[in-house]
Amino acid sequence: METIAENRSEGPDRRRPGQAPRMRAVPGQRLSRLPQLAGLDATLKRDIAVVSAVLPFKVNNYVIDELIDWSNIPDDPIFRMTFPHRDMLPSDDFEFIAKLMENQASREEMAAAVNEVRTKLNPHPGDQLSNNIPVEDDEPFHGLQHKYRETVLVFPAQGQTCHSYCGYCFRWAQFVGISELKQSVDGPERALQYLGAHREVSDVLITGGDSMIMSTDRLVPYIDPLLSPDMDHIRNIRFGTKALSYWPYRFTTDKDSDDLLRLFERCVQAGRHVAVMAHFSHAQELATDAVRDAIARIQSTGAVIRAQAPIIRFVNDWPEAWSDMWRTMVGMGVVPYYMFVERDTGARGYFEIPLARALEVYQTAVRTVSGLERTARGPVMSAAPGKVCIDGTATVGNEKVFVCRFLQARDPERVGKPFFARFDEHATWYDHLQPASFETRPWFATANSSSLHGS
Ligand SMILES: *Cc1c(COP(=O)(O)O)cnc(C)c1O
Ligand code: SF4
């Protein structure tokens, strides 16, 4: 039987033999020597070298050759997202590392200094590492997260990296190897056992890092067993990925890309919904031939692409960045899903914006697009008790408040009920919020602690 993907081989995305791009990754320490940066002044290059000694960076040939507009440096949003900037480190830490580099400090001295600076950057934010991990036979089950009743996240070991890194990534500690907890599964067996035993679970999210960094051979044993009749409670199979932005050839010309599309088709034919949860930060990521081909090929399998991204300073912190992106993606059949607020870690101080500003950007962007393009919910914080959306501001009595709502919660009773936080123009995260004076539900910072932990 011919698959849909094969039928498309006469279409605009047909294989170009001999032209399949090969991925070349450029690690942080080599970024400052890229020929594209030759024209930049020496301090900028030094800044890149210093910051990339502390935080993880990795860029590849697609990002360099096709995504970044080199006539618009340093303002290009993709450059801002993937390249180091001096302000990503507190200035005294930056000077500390810069001085050691200048003095050609020994490897040991450098390593100790880098470690000291990293430790100050909150490498383990929130309780993502220690909570939400299922416990079976009194043993914590690392590599799965089961926070919300209907969805289980699976972190396969081979999917815990990305084709390129975002400067704001909350998994940065893992990328530099200082994560204390093993957060991935080595193989599918126990994960599948867990899913088989939990009939309340309807959604499986294969995630990372980037689930699409895995070879198709490695993915298949996680997915094919979900298609059997005894797993028919699993209705939705999601893949978390930024490959459409950082390496769209994963779906077009890589040597196992056809096999990947066939895997999606098998899921669809087995009656499962396949959701590619794509991380898109800016319309520029939707503008290359490669991403257009990749989107069309994924869609030809029956899979649906949904898009989500955090709102990030310098990258997409103005309304047109979102309205342009939503218009462009809906035109390509991609469904806007979430606008996130980024977590409190790493280079956050550089990228963060106040919740009040994120709300303003969201509301302004939504007003200018059609109903079909308004499907992203936001701004959303994935906080300890659940996913909190700021729906707007209001004045109740004499008090200005944020109107908040749980989209997901450990305690499903909380979902959908509006609650109120004191308006605070500087707050950047849920735990900065205080209940409004008339708010009686204890759904704030102090309520994040022990009794709500565990799934
Ligand atoms: C966001 C999220 C989900 C999925 O939530 P949906 O609203 O169904 O997209 C599941 N688990 C965790 C831990 C999450 O953060
Ligand atoms: S794609 Fe996601 S996991 Fe990968 S670097 Fe970016 S934010 Fe981190």
Side-chain angles (χ1 to χ4, degrees), residues 225-247:
L226 299 176
L227 309 183
S228 75
D230 58 322
M231 286 284 207
D232 62 1
H233 55 297
I234 307 296
R235 302 192 300 270
N236 305 309
I237 302 176
R238 311 191 198 187
F239 296 94
T241 183
K242 198 168 173 65
L244 280 164
S245 300
Y246 285 160
W247 192 249

Side-chain angles (χ1 to χ4, degrees), residues 148 150-151 238 338 385-388 406-410 415:
Y148 308 129
E150 67 280 2
T151 307
R238 311 191 198 187
Y338 276 137
K387 276 205 173 64
V388 182
F406 278 103
L407 302 177
Q408 282 285 6
R410 281 216 179 87
V415 172

Side-chain angles (χ1 to χ4, degrees), residues 38-69:
L40 292 189
D41 70 83
T43 31
L44 266 176
K45 284 191 271 188
R46 193 234 10 202
D47 293 353
I48 287 175
V50 171
V51 176
S52 65
V54 177
L55 293 170
F57 289 88
K58 179 170 85 175
V59 182
N60 66 43
N61 47 317
Y62 173 75
V63 176
I64 293 168
D65 298 336
E66 299 187 55
L67 272 193
I68 292 176
D69 172 2

